[in-house]
């Protein structure tokens, strides 16, 4: 157990090709676009005042690519990137690579809503869980992940991070994915979930005396600060 407070900077990867074309991207993977590279560069420059003790990513290329850029721009390339499969995005099964409008249209039709906003307004804090369970139900191939499977592995990832970083007041950088980050937030305070989680945004977690807390969500202040840093 950590002897002091652990500070986890949980970052959504930079913008990718599938993000740009609005295609479903969970376990499937596409590289960062020029815009995605640039925003990761800004983030790295904005994080120069934070000295990280360790770095984790999922095993998807877009998080690893983002981490490499952030470390380069924050002058911390001496740190090793630790890939953790458990930090993966939700697995959308047969919908991977499909247009988001088609997948969410199928989900909304099944649930009896016209729009995603209507569904989330109705389901409230359970919105992400219900959508993911519906995706699993609609995937007759059986390849889609269940919410419980994602929850189990993400909590395991957090246990790994807390177990491997026991020095007082450690700073840890984690590059993960939008839905995965919101799922993590929902474990501790579902009212803080933000469906508009931006690429390269920072969601900061604290871990102290065996308890996790959510300190900030979807924070773009580091990206904004990085825009004014001289290269």
């Amino acid at each position: 157990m950590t002897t002091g407070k652990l500070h986890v900077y949980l970052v959504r990867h930079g913008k990718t090709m599938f993000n740009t074309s609005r295609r479903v991207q969970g376990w499937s993977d596409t590289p960062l676009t020029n815009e995605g590279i640039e925003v990761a560069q800004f983030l790295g420059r904005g994080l120069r005042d934070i000295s990280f003790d360790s770095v984790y990513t999922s095993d998807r290329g877009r998080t690893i690519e983002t981490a490499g850029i952030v470390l380069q721009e924050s002058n911390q390339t001496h740190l090793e990137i630790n890939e953790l499969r458990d930090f993966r995005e939700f697995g959308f099964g047969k919908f991977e690579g499909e247009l988001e409008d088609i997948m969410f249209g199928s989900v909304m039709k099944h649930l009896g809503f016209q729009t995603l906003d209507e569904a989330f307004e109705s389901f409230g804090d359970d919105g992400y869980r219900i959508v993911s369970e519906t995706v699993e139900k609609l995937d007759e191939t059986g390849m889609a992940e269940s919410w419980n499977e994602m929850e189990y592995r993400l909590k395991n990832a957090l246990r790994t991070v807390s177990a491997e970083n026991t020095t007082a007041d450690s700073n840890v950088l984690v590059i993960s994915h939008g839905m995965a980050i919101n799922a993590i937030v929902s474990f501790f305070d579902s009212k803080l979930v933000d469906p508009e989680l931006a690429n390269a945004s920072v969601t900061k977690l604290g871990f102290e005396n065996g308890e996790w807390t959510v300190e900030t969500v979807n924070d773009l202040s580091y990206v904004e600060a990085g825009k004014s840093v001289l290269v």
Side-chain angles (χ1 to χ4, degrees):
M1 182 177 291
T2 54
T3 55
K5 189 172 184 179
L6 175 64
H7 307 276
V8 176
Y9 293 74
L10 187 54
V11 173
R12 186 185 177 199
H13 60 79
K15 195 170 188 178
T16 67
M17 292 175 66
F18 270 9
N19 291 154
T20 304
S21 59
R22 296 186 56 79
R23 289 186 177 273
V24 177
Q25 184 176 228
W27 288 8
S28 59
D29 202 23
T30 59
L32 303 188
T33 59
N34 289 337
E35 182 183 350
I37 291 170
E38 183 179 57
V39 76
Q41 290 173 330
F42 289 147
L43 175 62
R45 294 166 197 167
L47 288 171
R48 284 183 182 176
D49 290 338
I50 309 296
S51 179
F52 290 107
D53 297 283
S54 57
V55 182
Y56 296 84
T57 68
S58 77
D59 62 347
R60 302 293 83 187
R62 59 194 185 273
T63 62
I64 299 166
E65 185 179 2
T66 300
I69 295 168
V70 170
L71 293 179
Q72 180 71 41
E73 296 297 328
S74 63
N75 301 318
Q76 300 187 72
T77 53
H78 62 283
L79 293 172
E80 178 185 357
I81 296 174
N82 300 287
E83 297 176 31
L84 278 186
R85 183 185 185 281
D86 285 341
F87 274 124
R88 272 189 186 187
E89 181 60 292
F90 178 73
F92 292 93
K94 76 169 187 178
F95 293 106
E96 293 283 345
E98 181 60 272
L99 290 170
E100 291 178 2
D101 287 346
I102 291 177
M103 182 189 77
F104 285 121
S106 298
V107 170
M108 293 307 99
K109 182 178 180 181
H110 183 83
L111 293 173
F113 293 97
Q114 293 295 317
T115 67
L116 199 58
D117 288 341
E118 287 180 10
F120 271 90
E121 186 175 337
S122 176
F123 298 138
D125 299 341
D126 287 330
Y128 273 105
R129 179 181 59 80
I130 291 171
V131 168
S132 67
E133 288 175 348
T134 305
V135 167
E136 182 193 11
K137 186 178 296 183
L138 293 175
D139 182 10
E140 69 280 356
T141 70
M143 293 189 295
E145 192 174 22
S146 72
W147 174 267
N148 288 338
E149 287 169 336
M150 180 175 68
E151 179 178 25
Y152 176 82
R153 62 175 172 76
L154 288 173
K155 287 183 175 179
N156 189 58
L158 293 177
R159 283 192 292 270
T160 298
V161 169
S162 62
E164 292 181 353
N165 296 274
T166 57
T167 304
D169 296 318
S170 295
N171 293 314
V172 176
L173 177 67
V174 176
I175 314 290
S176 187
H177 308 265
M179 190 167 172
I181 293 171
N182 269 320
I184 289 171
V185 170
S186 75
F187 301 156
F188 310 114
D189 191 343
S190 58
K191 292 180 174 57
L192 295 178
V193 168
D194 188 348
E196 302 300 321
L197 206 65
N199 293 105
S201 62
V202 175
T203 294
K204 193 175 179 184
L205 307 178
F207 182 75
E208 189 172 23
N209 298 323
E211 297 291 331
W212 287 97
T213 55
V214 180
E215 298 178 1
T216 59
V217 176
N218 200 20
D219 182 3
L220 287 170
S221 64
Y222 296 100
V223 170
E224 291 304 312
K227 291 179 181 179
S228 61
V229 173
L230 296 177
V231 179

